[in-house]
Amino acid sequence: GAGVSQSPSNKVTEKGKDVELRCDPISGHTALYWYRQSLGQGLEFLIYFQGNSAPDKSGLPSDRFSAERTGGSVSTLTIQRTQQEDSAVYLCASRPGGQGDYGYTFGSGTRLTVV
Amino acid sequence: AQSVAQPEDQVNVAEGNPLTVKCTYSVSGNPYLFWYVQYPNRGLQFLLKYITGDNLVKGSYGFEAEFNKSQTSFHLKKPSALVSDSALYFCAVRPLGGGTDKLIFGTGTRLQVFP
């Protein structure tokens, strides 16, 4: 596609439920990132995928958070047993991944509200 | 710890006046530096980046930024603000080395341009 696509755009869920957030990166982009944007907190790095390399999971806040990237394309961020503090906008970005490339393209995000 | 600071939560400026949005960083080595803008309910849009070379970088929509190595700053500037520039602005750095190329973001500065 022309840009990074995220779905759903909005998600309201009850505390304790599991949610899945989807990211479709730009076709051919090998690098994919998930960030969380909380009010007043800026953008918090969650996880990074690059090709077939092991993902950098250093930003995942707890073991309730996980992500996978199937076939080097679509990525799903899963939050289990959601808590109210998980409410935030979850942003996905992709990048071609080549050496010397700095073109991070962001999606519009998924606004998650845990009630 | 590597970090980015945007000391102003909000900057107010009259249309036609020059604007400055401040950013300082604390990372080892010479990082790559970025500015992004976020309009309501939209993802982050790339404005400009500094990789190497001339310290004054020109970007989209008439914005520019000056890299100051001694002050570890990368302030965003525009000679004449427009009401349509009102948005949330994020400074980001990509530290070099360490095996990952994630961006580290500041907490954002809301720019309000008054007619």
Side-chain angles (χ1 to χ4, degrees), chain B residues 8-66:
Chain B
E8 304 151 317
D9 290 337
Q10 180 154 330
V11 170
N12 298 317
V13 64
E15 187 174 35
N17 283 2
L19 69 87
T20 299
V21 182
K22 295 180 181 177
C23 172
T24 59
Y25 62 91
S26 175
V27 300
S28 57
N30 297 315
Y32 299 153
L33 300 159
F34 301 79
W35 275 101
Y36 284 85
V37 60
Q38 186 179 38
Y39 297 99
N41 300 316
R42 302 282 297 277
L44 273 69
Q45 296 180 33
F46 170 78
L47 274 181
L48 51 80
K49 65 180 183 286
Y50 173 82
I51 305 300
T52 187
D54 193 348
N55 289 344
L56 184 64
V57 178
K58 294 187 183 296
S60 306
Y61 312 120
F63 284 92
E64 57 189 29
E66 185 167 14

Side-chain angles (χ1 to χ4, degrees), chain A:
Chain A
V4 177
S5 178
Q6 292 188 245
S7 60
S9 55
N10 282 284
K11 176 72 176 180
V12 180
T13 190
E14 293 180 352
K15 178 181 173 181
K17 300 281 189 183
D18 298 350
V19 294
E20 287 188 349
L21 312 180
R22 177 186 169 103
C23 173
D24 272 288
I26 292 174
S27 179
H29 281 197
T30 61
L32 186 147
Y33 309 77
W34 283 98
Y35 284 84
R36 179 168 69 176
Q37 184 178 12
S38 304
L39 191 63
Q41 298 295 317
L43 274 79
E44 175 189 6
F45 167 77
L46 296 177
I47 188 168
Y48 159 55
F49 297 89
Q50 171 60 63
N52 295 322
S53 302
D56 176 357
K57 304 180 181 180
S58 61
L60 295 178
S62 76
D63 59 8
R64 295 187 296 104
F65 288 72
S66 63
E68 63 178 17
R69 189 178 184 192
T70 54
S73 181
V74 171
S75 177
T76 302
L77 177 69
T78 301
I79 309 174
Q80 296 178 311
R81 304 180 304 281
T82 52
Q83 304 295 312
Q84 287 185 330
E85 60 263 29
D86 299 335
S87 296
V89 176
Y90 290 81
L91 290 167
C92 176
S94 71
R95 192 172 64 83
Q99 187 175 6
D101 157 66
Y102 317 110
Y104 302 80
T105 302
F106 283 82
S108 298
T110 294
R111 182 176 298 277
L112 176 66
T113 304
V114 182
V115 298

